[in-house]
Amino acid sequence: IWLGVMIGVNLQTSFLTPPFGFALFYLRGVAPKSVTTEQIYRGVIPFVFIQIIGLFILWFFPQIVTIIPRLLN
């Protein structure tokens, strides 16, 4: 379970970073012409850092992920 959550968070981070950045390309498609691609890339930086911090927290404290399945047994 822990590995699956780690992979999921890591994949979500990859959707916000180039070269794959699918979410960035979708946002570029719906954003007004006054918003540049550079502004979109700069705007996503705090969210990427939050996700990376979340990955480190889950790495060092895996019981955050595994406590619910243990409580259900």
Side-chain angles (χ1 to χ4, degrees), residues 25-63:
F25 296 126
Y26 299 147
L27 185 57
R28 173 73 265 164
V30 297
K33 298 291 181 191
S34 61
V35 178
T36 65
T37 304
E38 181 181 350
Q39 289 173 326
I40 293 172
Y41 284 178
R42 287 180 187 227
V44 79
I45 290 171
F47 296 102
V48 171
F49 281 130
I50 290 169
Q51 289 180 342
I52 291 171
I53 290 169
L55 276 172
F56 280 117
I57 290 171
L58 292 178
W59 179 269
F60 291 110
F61 303 103
Q63 61 270 21

Side-chain angles (χ1 to χ4, degrees), residues 2-30:
W2 173 78
L3 181 63
V5 170
M6 292 290 286
I7 291 171
V9 174
N10 196 16
L11 279 172
Q12 179 59 37
T13 305
S14 74
F15 293 150
L16 292 175
T17 56
F20 298 111
F22 298 122
L24 300 174
F25 296 126
Y26 299 147
L27 185 57
R28 173 73 265 164
V30 297

